[in-house]
């Protein structure tokens, strides 16, 4: 017990030293504050996944009452004011990027519809705006189908279905992308900054030559490594929780359904895991530049293939298994979504936490082995 108390005291003192080093680095503190405040808010409010303010042009060669009614159906907030253009202006308007959609209504379109003759509409789409093109095309088809049904019925109506279909969107009833992107941005920031801070702390010790001071102190490699991980991960964890409450809940109005304490516990476990990964990358690099070149691709791969950006189910099966075996991020994303969105308790998410702990323990063992060889060789 006495030996354990000595080890804990050494870790605490070294952690305080790390915290003082972080506090002295003003640019790092500004980066952490910016990442968990301004960056989260701007990404949530600016990077919208749903279609809004789409630009559409109408080539009306029919000039009928139905064509005018169809044109009026494309209004805000889904569409901006409709641009009435001629057929000669289509190419220039789309080449310049002024219009994403152009709908051409042919002559005698209303007469052909009422007479039951075959006719058609042409919708030109600028597919370089991929999200708008995909979602907007679906909305435009639904609007056209509804207006044609109204025309044939002679009144405002909806397509009759043999069933009464009631759609209820759970956990995000307004289908607002900011509810998703704000929380996912916090998870991304936890991963990025924990890796960067822990790895940079080790590289900084080696570049400044202060690691030699540690070598003559009565401390062990595991104590030094734990202190760096606890201090840097702790700063990120505190910033993440403040961001979740102040920015996500208060500023953006995103409700948190589950327990903040449970999320903080899971985030602490995850931060410990990626901190070990940061130490491991720090032992593989000798300069800050090399560390950056190592950390950036690791972060990009872990985030893009974690389920935070695209569903895991859309990936190849072999890649899903690879990410779930070697990366703790997919398990943390599933844990966070379960707790924060669906209000899940520990009984529903304990398997994800167990997998994060297992992968983190493996990273820690490998990093400790490398740390002893590189620092204490």
């Amino acid at each position: 017990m006495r030996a354990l108390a000595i080890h804990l005291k050494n870790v605490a003192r070294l952690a305080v030293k790390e915290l003082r080093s972080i506090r002295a680095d003003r640019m790092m503190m500004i980066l952490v504050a910016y990442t968990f405040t301004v960056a989260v808010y701007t990404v949530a409010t600016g990077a919208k996944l749903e279609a809004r303010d789409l630009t559409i042009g109408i080539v009306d060669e029919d000039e009928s009452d139905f064509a005018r009614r169809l044109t009026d159906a494309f209004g805000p907030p889904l569409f901006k004011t409709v641009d009435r253009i001629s057929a000669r202006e289509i190419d220039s308007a789309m080449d310049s990027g002024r219009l994403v959609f152009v709908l051409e209504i042919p002559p005698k379109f209303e007469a052909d519809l009422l007479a039951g003759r075959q006719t058609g509409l042409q919708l030109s789409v600028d597919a370089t705006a991929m999200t708008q093109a995909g979602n907007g095309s679906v909305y435009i088809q639904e609007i056209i189908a509804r207006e044609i049904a109204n025309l044939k019925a002679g009144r405002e109506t909806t397509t009759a279905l043999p069933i009464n279909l009631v759609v209820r969107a759970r956990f995000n009833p307004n289908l607002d992308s900011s509810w998703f992107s704000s929380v996912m941005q916090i998870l991304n920031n936890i991963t990025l900054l924990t890796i960067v801070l822990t790895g940079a702390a080790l590289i900084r010790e080696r570049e400044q030559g202060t690691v030699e001071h540690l070598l003559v102190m009565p401390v062990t490699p595991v104590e030094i490594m734990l202190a760096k991980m606890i201090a840097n991960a702790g700063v990120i964890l505190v910033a993440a929780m403040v961001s979740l409450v102040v920015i996500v809940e208060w500023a953006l109005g995103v409700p948190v359904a589950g327990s903040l304490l449970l999320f903080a516990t899971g985030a602490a476990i995850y931060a410990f895991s990626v901190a070990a990964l940061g130490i491991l990358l720090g032992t593989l690099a000798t300069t800050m530049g090399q560390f950056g070149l190592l950390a950036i691709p690791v972060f990009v791969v872990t985030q893009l293939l974690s389920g935070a950006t695209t569903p895991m189910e859309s990936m190849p099966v072999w890649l899903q298994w690879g990410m779930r075996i070697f990366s703790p991020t997919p398990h943390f994303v599933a844990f966070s979504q379960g707790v924060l969105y669906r209000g899940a308790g520990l009984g529903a998410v304990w398997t994800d936490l167990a997998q994060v702990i297992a992968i983190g323990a493996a990273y820690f063992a490998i990093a400790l082995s490398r740390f002893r060889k590189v620092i204490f060789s």
Side-chain angles (χ1 to χ4, degrees):
M1 291 297 294
R2 183 180 179 184
L4 178 60
I6 294 175
H7 286 308
L8 293 177
K9 186 179 294 185
N10 289 342
V11 171
R13 289 173 176 172
L14 289 171
V16 170
K17 179 190 78 70
E18 290 295 328
L19 290 174
R20 288 175 177 170
S21 177
I22 295 172
R23 186 184 63 181
D25 192 341
R26 293 185 178 180
M27 288 305 300
M28 184 63 71
M29 295 299 295
I30 293 174
L31 173 63
V32 172
Y34 167 82
T35 304
F36 282 102
T37 53
V38 178
V40 173
Y41 187 86
T42 52
V43 168
T45 56
K48 292 288 187 179
L49 299 179
E50 63 268 25
R52 286 289 187 275
D53 295 327
L54 302 176
T55 55
I56 184 170
I58 303 290
V59 179
D60 185 3
E61 298 178 340
D62 188 22
E63 297 184 351
S64 61
D65 291 338
F66 174 75
R68 286 188 287 273
R69 190 163 64 247
L70 180 60
T71 300
D72 294 338
F74 299 105
L78 186 58
F79 295 92
K80 293 182 178 179
T81 303
V82 177
D83 288 344
R84 298 176 183 272
I85 62 175
S86 64
R88 295 189 302 272
E89 298 176 86
I90 295 177
D91 289 340
S92 60
M94 298 196 73
D95 290 344
S96 64
R98 183 166 62 89
L99 297 176
V100 177
F101 302 96
V102 173
L103 179 65
E104 297 181 63
I105 305 175
K108 300 181 180 180
F109 180 71
E110 181 180 10
D112 290 340
L113 279 178
L114 294 176
R117 292 189 292 267
Q118 185 71 29
T119 185
L121 296 169
Q122 178 170 306
L123 179 65
S124 301
V125 183
D126 180 3
T128 57
M130 190 174 61
T131 301
Q132 289 185 329
N135 296 337
S137 298
V138 175
Y139 293 138
I140 292 174
Q141 292 177 50
E142 291 177 352
I143 292 172
I144 293 174
R146 185 184 67 241
E147 293 300 323
I148 291 176
N150 292 339
L151 174 67
K152 290 185 174 181
R155 56 187 175 85
E156 293 295 323
T157 184
T158 57
T159 304
L161 294 176
I163 60 172
N164 182 24
L165 178 63
V166 179
V167 178
R168 291 189 176 94
R170 299 187 63 189
F171 315 122
N172 188 354
N174 296 323
L175 302 179
D176 189 346
S177 63
S178 66
W179 287 29
F180 174 82
S181 58
S182 59
V183 174
M184 292 302 104
Q185 185 66 21
I186 290 179
L187 305 190
N188 293 346
N189 293 342
I190 292 175
T191 305
L192 174 62
L193 290 183
T194 304
I195 291 176
V196 169
L197 259 65
T198 51
L202 177 58
I203 298 295
R204 186 168 54 246
E205 296 269 16
R206 298 173 65 182
E207 287 186 339
Q208 295 177 353
T210 55
V211 69
E212 283 78 8
H213 300 168
L214 299 176
L215 298 179
V216 298
M217 294 175 62
V219 293
T220 62
V222 68
E223 292 172 354
I224 299 174
M225 185 171 157
L226 279 174
K228 292 185 179 297
M229 293 171 60
I230 291 172
N232 290 281
V235 170
I236 299 304
L237 182 60
V238 171
M241 294 306 299
V242 172
S243 177
L244 183 62
V245 174
V246 176
I247 303 299
V248 175
E249 277 198 290
W250 294 355
L252 295 174
V254 180
V256 175
S259 169
L260 288 177
L261 179 60
L262 178 58
F263 174 73
T265 303
I269 295 173
Y270 174 72
F272 185 87
S273 300
V274 291
L277 177 59
I279 293 291
L280 176 59
L281 296 178
T283 60
L284 296 174
T286 56
T287 64
M288 198 67 76
Q290 290 180 0
F291 173 73
L293 293 176
L294 280 174
I296 290 174
V298 169
F299 168 73
V300 170
V301 171
T302 55
Q303 289 310 118
L304 289 180
L305 304 179
S306 65
T309 305
T310 57
M312 290 288 293
E313 293 76 14
S314 65
M315 304 176 194
V317 176
W318 64 268
L319 188 55
Q320 295 182 39
W321 279 101
M323 290 302 298
R324 289 191 172 108
I325 291 173
F326 296 105
S327 174
T329 311
H331 307 292
F332 180 60
V333 169
F335 162 83
S336 301
Q337 291 177 347
V339 173
L340 299 178
Y341 293 140
R342 296 186 288 273
L346 181 60
V349 296
W350 71 269
T351 53
D352 293 313
L353 278 183
Q355 289 167 317
V356 172
I357 292 172
I359 298 173
Y363 281 157
F364 182 82
I366 299 172
L368 181 59
S369 175
R370 287 282 310 167
F371 190 80
R372 284 177 174 144
K373 291 179 181 179
V374 172
I375 304 301
F376 285 81
S377 59

